[in-house]
């Protein structure tokens, strides 16, 4: 049996989906956010794999940028979560539903 | 190796963005260097000056058609027009943001880190000067938007997306009053925004896999050549579109809009409604018109359905809204649908009509939110619809202005709302998309009802005891309001010059 | 009839014939517009204008006699014009119009004068004269118009005047209702009339009398029949003929001079005028004539039968009018010579019926507006002039020679017997029967009113004669009743020949003299029977009666029929539609609005406020969008 | 040509396969574990596992720089940040098993299966038999992976690269804004001020009396008694109302019955 | 004469509106006087225009054209044919009378008086515009903007369910307008990106496209007119609007619908017009009968009058879609006459309502005894409304029925039966309000003690005079209308049928 690089893509798709589903299932805002990070990572894996398939480095560059962006995003996101936690003493996103309908 | 050929960079073309980034960084320095009490005095002129300077450069570049910075940036008609639009709308929104007379200390909380409801929080609500960090954040956001509409490859677009999103997430959390709502809005916006950008990113990955490159011209070549797997192309395009449609607030990716619009500080809401929408549609135009025109026949029905769904959701849900800001949010969703109708014309008229619509809508919506900031009681803005009952008696001028804006939203002639709708519907009809025009017309009927309900509330109901007064706006808000209303009127009565401009600006560089 | 009808342009005196209409019209306008300021002299202005019109009519009449072409028209201005359609505001003075003009202005003048006295104590006298003048003007337009549209204009004008005058005492609900009823039933006829005009235009491209007359032979018989039936329906409406008869008796709610002028002498004969005017159409189709004759015969019997059972003095006279106009319809339906005979009867009827009504008015005037003949009796002692004049008119109407009724009615009976086939017997006998019935009910009326024991209540202490201003017209009309018939039966048909064609007499199934004798005999029998029955008065309370009398008292159930067939379903329909409009059509619209609102209310629940739900909707959307794109890619939609 | 580049030749070499299969499974386990773990810290650790696996994959796929960056930046820095915040805010806040949104879980899983199925099947069909070009050429063009990336970074994507600085500034400003409570001048009294306030007229500089302690009542709301028998208001916290003693409490012990 | 009548007429009332609106709220009398004076001046100008119009001249006169939005080919093109001219004249005549009649209307609700009159003038401006426009876009703009002042007139100054009625009015019209917008866009795209009326008339469309475009326009006009079954907004709006506004609404504003059909649907889409004519005729005829029956069943005077108007619009519809010169002329004439008659009726009803503070028929009864003059005017207005010969509406109704009879007997006959029903509802109304025994509640009502004031007399007198004058001598109007109608019928490709029998010579 031989595996082709597409398996990386399938793995990436699976990870992406798990992350996407995780966002729907988990309630802790931080875990939710980690799920998003997983999705970004999955995308990165796909990018790197495509980079290999296409034989260009652009994919890797994008993945690199994604890491930078993710870092910034994490900071902002965690800051927001922190500020909410300070008031509500809860990190559950379900508790934040004053805005509705 | 080791001889890197640095790409030619046309600094003049990039100047607007560079200026805004520079101003933003300066703003951060100001935060560090200037005493708190005087920061506002420095930040506002700094921001305005920066925007004006950027606008000057945008105007100076008029007519440029080139790609620069290693093909990462495309400076062409739509890009310049949209940049100009974003800057001008940004100026107006900045005026609202800078207003301090309506509420002691301005619309932002002084120290967002303080827990809501704490002793310190109560004291700061009373009138401590608001966080001036907002100004550099706004500048970053605007700069990101400028980049977003000029990005010529998907990576730059992604980075730009994040550059303007992150400050907005933060800005949403800064409201002085009702901070719980504000923080909640920020959280929702952030989580869903990150979620959407993950989709966007995966889309980029697939497109990259399809085309082997991420510049739009290369993607276009790949699409027209038809090499590569269609699955990658279409799944990628779908995911890409989701990311953009999220920012554009199209159904079913609109869910964040009402909550965030309601929770965010109203000036920031107006910034989002006007500038973010402009940027999102600018990018969408570029992606669809430059990157994927070869797939028009494939994506048009699907995005068409999304457009219809968007118009329907916006119109139908607006009917029963009881909060002014939420109502405007749903209206903004519906307007995203109309904009999509224009985009889907896939003709030069489609581009120019969409550009026109964006400007027209932007000014109207900022003015509308400006009025929302004025209607307030001791508890801050009184956004519940029932509180607006009889406002026409209390304050005929502002009720009249707001009525005019609502009529513009409803698309009554002699307002920009009508001309812009006419433009996009005309373009769509010309592009053979009659079904979208019909859907647009039908939803316009539905959408008229909520607007009319507000008008009825204001004029035909008797003022109740809880009808708040309308604050006398400060110079900034007045200016924003006057500009918004005048442009709404002007574009309704004499849309010719702007139409000329959009027609001339309608050509993308590939 | 192949001769060409041609109207000469008016010259000389006749070019002033517009004044005929203008005089009363201006007077009406003055009276109605000036309001109370004209209260003191208004009635005199009213009389004067009609009198002047009468004089002008006489002068015009003589001027016409001097003309070679006895049809003179005056087109005043272009009335309506569109495409190929054009009608002028045009007047036509020809023998037929002339006769009517004289009747209207002459009798009208007398009644105007009478009304000055009759309405003396009514605060609305000026208004009354305004309406009265309006009526005269409209009636003159009716008979003077040189095209069907002008006729229709007058036709509706008199309808309006009739409405106004019937409901003159509008505070009385019965008067208001009666006026409305009259107008509505007339409108039914009017609708038919106006459709006839449309049909004329559609077929012939013109609605002028000369144009129609000259081209009527080109029409198919079906069209002629249709045309005739429509005109007839219009005529029955105005003339209170079957089937549109029910309004006329109710019209007696108006002041008595109104009944005399409008609902006896002039307006109600408009139908006869219309048919006579359209003689070229009716003559062209024998089926049509049969229908007209049938309507006439039926109505004359209906009127007579109901007249026998009524106790209200004016109602009896009203039904009598219905019956007498039936005779006229019979006449015009018979065609040929009988056209002129009908006109003669019309004129004579104008005199004696006006006299009868005015007499009745005089009686009521003296009896505090009591109208129930069972409450009269023995009045001859108290109001001599009224008694005499009324008596003469009575004799005239029952057709006793040598009074005018005999000369006008008997030839119609004869003409009825001159029909070609068995219908001669049918209509002849009907006409005879009608004569007998007329004699019966009129005698009953006369006897109960003026003779027999007094039956009035004690509150009327002094029945009295009316003032001279009322009795003088009575006398003049009585003279007319006596003499008019004999004087007119010869010259009038001859005078009318240019309009109605030459007198062509057929063979009667009975000898002329036999018919005459029969007619006089039935008259005497009827009158005698009534005399015997009612010479001693009658019970003042309603008496039980047989089916026929009960039916007659209830107007042969015509009102009941109308109510059951038109009024009740109409009310039901209206209510149903009001419901339908509110709940159905408007309900549908509101329902759509409500369902949008409801849908919105339900949909907004989807905006739960949970960020995870939002994410789910985004993922769902993503799934669908990706699926759709892949579907497009795989060509699943193709 | 680096070994990694050889490794990336298509299709997977046996060695790569032996790396891919276990690590792939491990990555999946990590992802699933992250979603499934009730404790947020466990989730984070599961995610670290996945990320490490991915880092290895990057290296295997001719992206040594990226792989290292993944491990250092992502796993090392970003995830530590996560863990840090988790420790701060939600360490013990494990999700309850009861789902508050009805049907959310089932629907989410169905959606996930659908989405994954769609994308995987699509990708599988689309890419079956695709030959990967490999990065050997691209990497060697600039003399290596890092150099290649660098050249791209500073040529084609230089503007994006520069712009990321804006992101980082934003992040810093944002974190400051939302997390840092600035004690402003004047908000916190200085030592001399505190002293001055303590000895200011009207204040009672000495330690305050403790609350009264009685055998019948040890509530802090019970004021102490001054020598004269009156209640000492100062002996109880300001926010508590002085409690009136009931007669039985004030009465000497043993007299209540 | 090259005076730019049409643009000046359109702008002048708007300027007046601004002036009046800016007058201080504390001086209502001044506002009224200025508004009245202004409208009279506009009337004078309109009369001058009427005189300058050459009845036998070009189809479109007073043409002015200025560029507006060159990108879309939109121009400020004003031009009036006979049809538009008479409608403009009608507006100009009605407005001063309505202002005079509404003298105290605004005060009753303690509302802002100057604004009321400013709204009226603004409304006049938009109505002038809508009739004078010869550019489809311009027409559409006025068509929609017209709603706004009317909306506030109903909503702010009306009675009863004014909010509901105003919203309903606005939404109905807007819905129609949006259908039209879609059609306008289609017309523009398919017609070669021009809005010029003449160019669009000359353009060719495919059959399918033409029919859809027709439907778009027709929907708007049928709602505006209103035709059955789009009529339910009118009774509510007419019932809630203040009498003056109702007179304008029903008398003029709704005529935009029928005017639009004549000016846009027929010439632009002749084939579709012929194709849909049976449908339109059916709706119109149903409307005549249906609305008349409903009018009988109403207990609210203003609603009743509204329903009668729906029936009248049915007549106009019949006249338009019969496609004969007579019917067309009749229809246009009907638009004018109905404006006068219904305007009068609404104003008189308004005078009753102002006295009684109620529009319910059952609140009246025997009013003629107390207010003989006003009752007389009501009667006159009612008679005019039922198209009694001698009043202007007769001529138009006659022509409509005559013209339609020549081509479609069934429709004409059914429509003619409507005149019976018309008598029914008018007389029934008259009887229940002014006749019969005096309602005791009425007798004790202070307002009922005063018969018509001089102001009210001045309001009704010109209308009565015009109704009578045009009833006997409609020529001045028909002369103006006839060529325009003939041209319209030529556009639609219809010709009058020749007489079925008879010689042609006799037809002269």
């Amino acid at each position: 049996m031989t595996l082709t690089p597409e398996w990386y893509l399938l793995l990436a798709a699976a990870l992406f989906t798990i992350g996407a589903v995780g966002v729907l299932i988990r309630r802790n805002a931080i875990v939710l956010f980690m799920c998003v990070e997983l999705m970004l990572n999955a995308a990165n894996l796909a990018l790197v794999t495509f980079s290999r398939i296409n034989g260009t480095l652009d994919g890797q560059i994008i993945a690199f940028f994604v890491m930078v962006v993710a870092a910034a995003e994490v900071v902002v996101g965690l800051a927001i979560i922190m500020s909410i936690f300070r008031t509500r003493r809860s990190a559950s996103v379900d508790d934040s539903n004053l805005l509705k309908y | 190796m080791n001889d890197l050929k640095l790409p030619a960079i046309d600094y003049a073309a990039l100047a607007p963005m560079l200026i805004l980034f520079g101003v933003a960084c300066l703003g951060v320095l100001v935060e560090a260097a200037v005493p708190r009490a005087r920061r506002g005095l420095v930040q506002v002129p700094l921001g305005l000056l920066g925007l004006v300077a950027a606008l000057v450069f945008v105007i100076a570049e008029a007519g440029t058609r080139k790609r620069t910075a290693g093909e990462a940036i495309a400076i062409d008609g739509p890009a310049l027009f949209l940049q100009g639009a974003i800057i001008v709308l940004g100026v107006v929104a900045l005026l609202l943001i800078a207003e301090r007379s309506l509420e002691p200390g301005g619309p932002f909380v002084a120290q967002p880190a303080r827990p809501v409801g704490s002793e310190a929080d109560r004291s700061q609500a009373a009138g401590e000067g608001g966080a001036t960090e907002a100004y550099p954040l706004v500048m970053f956001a605007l700069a990101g938007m400028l980049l977003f509409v000029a990005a010529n490859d998907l990576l730059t677009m992604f980075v730009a997306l994040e550059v303007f999103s992150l400050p907005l997430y933060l800005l949403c959390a800064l409201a002085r009053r009702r901070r719980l709502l504000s923080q909640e809005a920020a959280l929702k916006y952030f989580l869903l925004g990150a979620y959407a950008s993950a989709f966007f990113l995966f889309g980029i990955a697939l497109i990259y896999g399809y085309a082997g490159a991420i510049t739009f011209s290369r993607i276009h070549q790949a699409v027209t050549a038809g090499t590569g797997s269609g699955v990658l192309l279409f799944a990628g395009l779908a995911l890409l579109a989701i990311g953009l449609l999220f920012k554009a607030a199209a159904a079913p990716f609109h869910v964040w809009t009402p909550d965030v619009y309601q929770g965010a500080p109203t000036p920031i809401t107006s910034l989002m409604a006007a500038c973010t929408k402009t940027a999102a549609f600018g990018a969408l135009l570029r992606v669809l018109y430059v990157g994927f025109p070869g797939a028009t026949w494939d994506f048009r029905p699907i995005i068409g359905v999304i457009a219809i769904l968007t118009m329907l959701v916006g119109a139908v849900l607006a009917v029963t809204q009881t909060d002014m800001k939420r109502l405007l949010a749903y209206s903004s969703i519906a307007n995203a649908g109309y904009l999509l109708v224009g985009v889907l014309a896939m003709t030069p008229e489609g581009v120019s009509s969409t550009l026109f619509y964006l400007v027209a809508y932007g000014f109207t919506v900022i003015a509308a939110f400006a009025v929302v900031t004025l209607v307030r009681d001791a508890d801050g803005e009184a956004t519940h619809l029932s509180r607006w009952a009889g406002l026409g008696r209390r304050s005929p001028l502002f009720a009249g202005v707001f009525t005019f804006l609502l009529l513009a939203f409803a698309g009554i002639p002699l307002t920009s709302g009508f001309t812009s709708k006419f433009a996009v519907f005309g373009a769509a009809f010309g592009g053979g998309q009659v079904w979208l025009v019909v859907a647009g017309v039908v939803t316009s009927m539905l959408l008229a009802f909520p607007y009319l309900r507000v008008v009825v509330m204001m004029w035909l109901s008797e003022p109740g005891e809880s009808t708040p007064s309308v604050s006398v706006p400060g110079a900034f808000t007045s200016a924003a309001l006057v500009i918004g209303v005048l442009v709404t009127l002007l574009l309704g009565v004499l849309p010719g010059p702007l139409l000329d401009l959009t027609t001339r600006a309608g050509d993308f560089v590939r | 009839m192949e001769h060409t009808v041609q109207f000469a342009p008016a010259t000389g005196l006749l070019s002033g014939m517009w004044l005929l209409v203008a005089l009363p019209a201006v007077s009406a306008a003055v009276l109605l517009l000036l309001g109370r300021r004209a209260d003191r002299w208004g009635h005199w202005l009213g009389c004067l204008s009609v009198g002047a019109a009468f004089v002008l009519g006489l002068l015009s009449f003589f001027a016409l006699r001097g003309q070679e072409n006895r049809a003179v028209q005056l087109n005043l201005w272009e009335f309506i014009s569109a495409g190929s359609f054009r009608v002028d505001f045009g007047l036509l003075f020809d023998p037929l119009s002339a006769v009517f003009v004289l009747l209207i202005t002459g009798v009208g003048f007398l009644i105007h004068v009478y009304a000055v006295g009759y309405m003396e104590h009514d605060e609305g006298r000026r208004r009354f004269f305004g309406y009265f003048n309006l009526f005269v003007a409209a009636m003159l337009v009716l008979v003077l118009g040189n095209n069907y549209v002008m006729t229709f204009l007058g036709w509706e004008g008199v309808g309006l005047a009739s409405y106004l005058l019937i409901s003159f005492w509008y505070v009385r609900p019965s008067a208001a209702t009666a006026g409305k009823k009259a107008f509505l039933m007339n409108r039914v006829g009017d609708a038919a009339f106006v459709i006839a005009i449309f049909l004329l235009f559609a077929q012939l491209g013109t609605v002028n009398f000369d144009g129609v007359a000259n081209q009527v032979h080109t029409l198919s018989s079906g069209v002629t029949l249709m045309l005739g039936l429509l005109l007839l329906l219009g005529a029955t409406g105005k003339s209170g003929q079957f089937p549109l008869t029910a309004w006329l008796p109710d019209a007696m709610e108006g002041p008595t001079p109104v009944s005399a002028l409008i609902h006896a002498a002039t307006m109600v004969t408009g139908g006869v005028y219309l048919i006579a005017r359209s003689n070229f159409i009716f003559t062209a189709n024998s089926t049509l004539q049969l229908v007209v004759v049938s309507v006439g015969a039926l109505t004359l019997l209906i009127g007579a039968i109901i007249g026998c059972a009524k106790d209200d003095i004016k109602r009896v006279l009203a039904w009598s009018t219905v019956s007498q106009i039936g005779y006229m319809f019979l006449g015009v339906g018979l065609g040929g010579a009988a056209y002129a005979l009908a006109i003669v009867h019309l004129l004579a009827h104008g005199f004696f019926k006006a006299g009868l009504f005015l007499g009745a008015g005089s009686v009521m005037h003296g009896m505090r507006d009591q109208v129930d003949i069972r409450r009269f009796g023995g009045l001859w002692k108290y109001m001599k002039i009224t008694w005499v004049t009324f008596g003469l008119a009575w004799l005239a109407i029952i057709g006793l020679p040598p009074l005018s009724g005999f000369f006008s009615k008997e030839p119609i009976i004869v003409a009825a017997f001159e029909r070609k086939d068995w219908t001669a017997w049918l209509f002849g006998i009907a006409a005879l029967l009608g004569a007998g019935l007329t004699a019966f009910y009129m005698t009953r009326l006369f006897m109960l009113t003026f003779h027999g024991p007094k039956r009035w209540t004690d509150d009327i202490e002094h029945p009295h004669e009316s003032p001279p201003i009322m009795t003088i017209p009575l006398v003049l009309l009585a003279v007319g009743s006596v003499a008019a018939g004999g004087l007119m039966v010869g010259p009038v048909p001859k005078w009318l020949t240019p309009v109605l064609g030459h007198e062509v007499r057929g063979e009667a199934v009975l000898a002329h003299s036999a018919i005459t004798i029969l007619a006089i005999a039935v008259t005497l029998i009827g009158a005698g029977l009534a005399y015997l029955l009612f010479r001693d008065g009658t019970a003042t309370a309603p008496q039980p009666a047989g089916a026929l009398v009960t039916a007659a008292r209830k107007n042969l159930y015509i009102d009941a029929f109308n109510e059951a067939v038109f009024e009740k379903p109409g009310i039901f329909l209206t209510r149903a539609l009001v419901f339908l409009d509110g709940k159905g059509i408007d309900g549908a619209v509101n329902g759509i609005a409500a369902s949008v609102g409801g849908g919105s209310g339900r949909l907004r629940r989807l905006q739960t406020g949970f960020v995870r739900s939002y994410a789910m909707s985004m993922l769902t959307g993503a799934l669908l969008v990706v699926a759709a794109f892949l579907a497009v890619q795989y060509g699943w939609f193709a | 040509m680096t070994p990694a580049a050889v490794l990336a030749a298509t299709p997977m070499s046996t060695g790569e396969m032996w790396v891919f299969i276990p690590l792939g499974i491990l990555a999946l386990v990590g992802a699933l574990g992250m979603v499934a773990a009730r404790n947020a810290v466990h989730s984070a650790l599961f995610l670290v596992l996945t990320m490490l696996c991915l880092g290895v994959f990057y290296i295997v796929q001719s992206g040594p720089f990226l792989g290292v960056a993944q491990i250092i930046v992502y796993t090392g820095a970003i995830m530590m940040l996560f863990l840090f915040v988790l420790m701060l805010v939600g360490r013990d806040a494990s999700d309850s098993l009861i789902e508050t949104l009805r049907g959310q879980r089932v629907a989410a899983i169905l959606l996930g299966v659908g989405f994954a199925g769609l994308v995987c099947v699509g990708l599988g069909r689309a890419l079956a038999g695709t030959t990967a070009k490999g990065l050997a050429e691209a990497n060697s063009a600039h003399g290596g992976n890092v150099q290649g990336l660098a050249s791209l970074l500073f040529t084609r994507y230089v503007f994006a690269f520069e712009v990321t600085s804006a992101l980082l500034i934003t992040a810093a400003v944002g974190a400051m804004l939302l997390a840092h409570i600035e004690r402003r001048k004047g908000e916190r009294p200085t030592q001399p001020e505190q002293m001055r306030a303590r000895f200011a007229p009207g204040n009672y500089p000495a330690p305050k009396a403790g609350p009264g302690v009685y055998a019948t009542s040890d509530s802090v709301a019970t004021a102490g008694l001054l020598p004269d028998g009156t209640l000492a208001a100062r002996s109880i916290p300001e926010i508590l109302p002085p409690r009136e003693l009931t007669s039985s409490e004030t009465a000497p012990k043993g007299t209540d019955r | 004469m090259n005076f730019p009548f049409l643009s000046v007429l359109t702008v002048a009332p708007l300027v007046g509106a601004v002036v009046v609106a800016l007058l201080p709220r504390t001086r209502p009398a001044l506002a009224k006087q200025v508004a009245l004076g202004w409208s009279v001046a506009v009337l004078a100008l309109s009369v001058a225009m009427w005189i300058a119009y050459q009845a036998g001249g070009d189809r479109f006169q007073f043409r002015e054209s200025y560029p507006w939005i060159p990108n879309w080919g939109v121009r400020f093109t004003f031009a009036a044919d006979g049809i538009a001219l008479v409608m403009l004249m009608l507006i100009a005549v009605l407005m001063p009378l309505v202002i005079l009649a509404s003298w105290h209307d605004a005060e009753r609700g303690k509302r802002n008086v100057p604004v009321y009159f400013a709204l009226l003038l603004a409304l006049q401006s938009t109505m002038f515009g809508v009739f004078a426009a010869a550019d489809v876009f311009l027409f559409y703009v006025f068509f929609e903007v017209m709603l706004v002042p009317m909306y506030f007139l109903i909503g702010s100054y009306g009675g009863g369910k004014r909010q509901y009625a105003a919203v309903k009015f606005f939404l109905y019209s807007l819905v129609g307008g949006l259908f039209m917008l879609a059609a306008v866009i289609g017309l523009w795209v398919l017609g070669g990106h021009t809005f010029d009326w003449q160019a669009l008339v000359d353009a060719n469309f495919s059959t399918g496209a033409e029919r859809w475009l027709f439907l778009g326009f027709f929907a708007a006009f049928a709602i505006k007119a209103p035709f059955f079954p789009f009529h339910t907004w009118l009774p509510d709006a007419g019932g809630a609007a203040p009498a003056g506004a109702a007179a304008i609404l029903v008398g003029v504003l709704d005529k935009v619908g029928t005017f639009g059909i004549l000016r846009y649907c027929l010439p632009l889409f002749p084939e579709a017009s012929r194709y849909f004519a049976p449908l339109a005729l059916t709706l119109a005829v149903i409307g005549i009968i249906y609305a008349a029956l409903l009018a009988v069943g109403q207990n609210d005077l203003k609603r009743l009058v509204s329903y009668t108007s729906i029936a009248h619009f049915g007549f106009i519809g019949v006249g338009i879609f019969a496609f004969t010169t007579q019917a067309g002329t009749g229809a246009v004439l009907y638009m004018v006459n109905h404006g006068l008659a219904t305007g009068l009726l609404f104003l008189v009803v308004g005078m009753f309502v102002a006295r009684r503070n109620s529009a319910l028929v059952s609140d009246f009864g025997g009013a003629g005894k107390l207010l003989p003059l006003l009752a007389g005017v009501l009667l006159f207005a009612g008679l005019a409304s039922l198209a009694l010969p001698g009043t202007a509406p007769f001529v138009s109704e006659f022509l409509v029925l005559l013209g339609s009879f020549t081509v479609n007997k069934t429709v004409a006959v059914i429509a003619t039966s409507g005149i019976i029903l018309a008598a029914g509802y008018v007389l029934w109304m008259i009887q229940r309000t002014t006749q019969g025994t005096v309602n005791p509640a009425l007798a004790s009502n202070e307002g009922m003690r005063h018969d018509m004031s001089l102001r009210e007399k001045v309001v009704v007198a010109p209308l009565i005079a015009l109704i009578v004058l045009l009833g006997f001598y409609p020529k001045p109007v028909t002369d103006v209308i006839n060529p325009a109608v003939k041209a319209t019928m030529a556009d639609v490709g219809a010709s009058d049928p020749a007489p079925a029998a008879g010689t042609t010579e006799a037809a002269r």
Side-chain angles (χ1 to χ4, degrees), chain C residues 163 176-177 180 184 567 571 574-575, chain E residues 292-299 301 304 361 386 421-435:
Chain C
Y163 163 77
T177 307
K180 188 186 70 187
L184 271 179
E567 209 176 320
I571 291 171
T574 299
R575 284 197 188 139
Chain E
L293 283 170
L294 278 168
V296 177
Q298 296 305 313
N299 188 33
L301 280 170
L304 192 156
V361 173
L386 65 77
L421 295 172
Y425 58 68
V426 168
L427 297 183
W428 183 226
M429 170 189 80
I430 298 284
Q431 183 181 354
R432 286 187 297 166
T433 48
T434 63
Q435 300 179 334

Side-chain angles (χ1 to χ4, degrees), chain A:
Chain A
M1 178 182 112
T2 49
L3 295 175
T4 48
E6 72 178 85
W7 283 91
Y8 285 107
L9 296 177
L10 298 185
L11 177 66
L15 293 178
F16 185 85
T17 315
I18 291 170
V21 171
V23 171
L24 307 196
I25 293 181
R26 298 306 300 265
R27 265 164 286 176
N28 187 314
I30 298 171
V31 178
L32 219 73
F33 192 25
M34 289 196 297
C35 291
V36 173
E37 290 300 319
L38 178 61
M39 292 165 77
L40 293 180
N41 269 287
N44 270 356
L45 179 58
L47 280 165
V48 170
T49 310
F50 277 126
S51 178
R52 174 190 182 188
I53 291 176
N54 290 335
T56 56
L57 281 172
D58 300 75
Q60 292 196 2
I61 283 286
I62 303 174
F64 172 69
F65 271 99
V66 171
M67 287 181 192
V68 180
V69 167
E73 210 174 60
V74 166
V75 171
V76 169
L78 291 179
I80 292 173
I81 293 170
M82 276 293 293
S83 72
I84 289 208
F85 179 81
R86 281 207 182 130
T87 308
R88 295 180 176 265
R89 312 308 299 169
S90 152
S92 168
V93 289
D94 283 6
D95 291 343
S96 294
N97 70 336
L98 294 169
L99 294 161
K100 56 188 164 189
Y101 305 135

Side-chain angles (χ1 to χ4, degrees), chain C residues 405-421:
Chain C
F406 171 75
F407 292 108
S408 62
K409 201 194 295 177
E410 185 262 358
I412 295 178
I413 300 173
V414 173
F417 276 106
E418 282 172 1
R419 282 186 69 88
K420 293 281 185 304
D421 42 14

